[in-house]
Amino acid sequence: MSALKNLQDLYVEQLKDLYSAETQLVEALPKMAQAATDPKLKAGFEKHLTETQQQVKRLDSIFTDLGEQPGGHTCQAMKGLIAEGSEMIAQEAAPAVKDAGLIACAQRVEHYEIAGYGTVVRYAEVLGLPMHVTQLRTSEQEEKDADLSLTSAALAINQAAMRG
Ligand code: FE
Ligand code: FE
Ligand code: ZN
Ligand code: FE
């Protein structure tokens, strides 16, 4: 891995990390949707899969604009978060309890992504890349909305999980 000389280099490195995270999620979200029982939760995962595919496209266009390639970096944190999601999917559990467990995993993912986008939005501002700021803010907002809708789905699901 080559040395990071300045903020621009760190920006590209952080974008690669996000790209890896998002592409891993494109693979993982259908499995989360499949494992969910609550129809609202299932639909939420499916909706966020579509958004995640758009987020990958936004990152693609940013890499094109920078004349950089998106590959060559694995987001180890997302790999771990998805591994925890897979454990929950494989876990024997009452349906509502499993749903609550899937939400617990998914909200960790959304918070990780919110942190990642928050960082690159600030870098793009400092680097004077307003088109990137707009694109990255759109994805950041989708992550925040996804987190909020998981919180809202959890209201009923946690009640159902309490009954078992
Ligand atoms: Fe995302
Ligand atoms: Fe990462
Ligand atoms: Zn990384
Ligand atoms: Fe997300």
Side-chain angles (χ1 to χ4, degrees):
M1 198 204 268
S2 58
L4 305 175
K5 301 176 299 300
N6 51 35
L7 191 71
Q8 168 94 13
D9 288 355
L10 184 60
Y11 178 54
V12 172
E13 198 271 344
Q14 292 289 309
L15 288 170
K16 286 183 180 183
D17 192 73
L18 273 168
Y19 188 88
S20 167
E22 297 292 14
T23 52
Q24 290 183 60
L25 283 168
V26 168
E27 304 297 317
L29 278 164
K31 296 172 196 167
M32 299 286 280
Q34 172 91 46
T37 301
D38 181 88
K40 243 184 74 183
L41 182 62
K42 205 181 259 290
F45 284 136
E46 280 160 4
K47 180 183 176 223
H48 200 49
L49 170 62
T50 306
E51 289 170 338
T52 301
Q53 287 161 339
Q54 290 305 309
Q55 293 167 359
V56 171
K57 285 187 184 165
R58 284 184 203 114
L59 290 170
D60 266 323
S61 78
I62 286 174
F63 279 109
T64 302
D65 188 56
L66 290 165
E68 297 278 349
Q69 297 293 324
H73 181 101
T74 300
C75 177
Q76 299 295 344
M78 189 57 72
K79 221 171 145 180
L81 290 170
I82 288 172
E84 289 188 0
S86 301
E87 279 175 23
M88 188 55 69
I89 288 169
Q91 174 68 49
E92 227 179 291
V97 178
K98 165 94 58 122
D99 281 352
L102 294 174
I103 290 172
C105 294
Q107 288 198 284
R108 281 177 169 79
V109 167
E110 297 316 320
H111 280 252
Y112 181 73
E113 292 183 293
I114 291 164
Y117 280 109
T119 296
V120 290
V121 164
R122 251 39 89 196
Y123 291 177
E125 282 172 352
V126 168
L127 292 167
L129 300 164
M131 302 280 276
H132 296 198
V133 171
T134 305
Q135 296 283 300
L136 296 168
R137 275 222 180 103
T138 302
S139 296
E140 183 185 31
Q141 193 56 52
E142 284 173 352
E143 312 298 17
K144 287 180 178 173
D145 292 343
D147 179 56
L148 285 174
S149 68
L150 286 164
T151 296
S152 129
L155 279 174
I157 289 168
N158 289 346
Q159 290 295 324
M162 203 149 50
R163 293 187 295 271

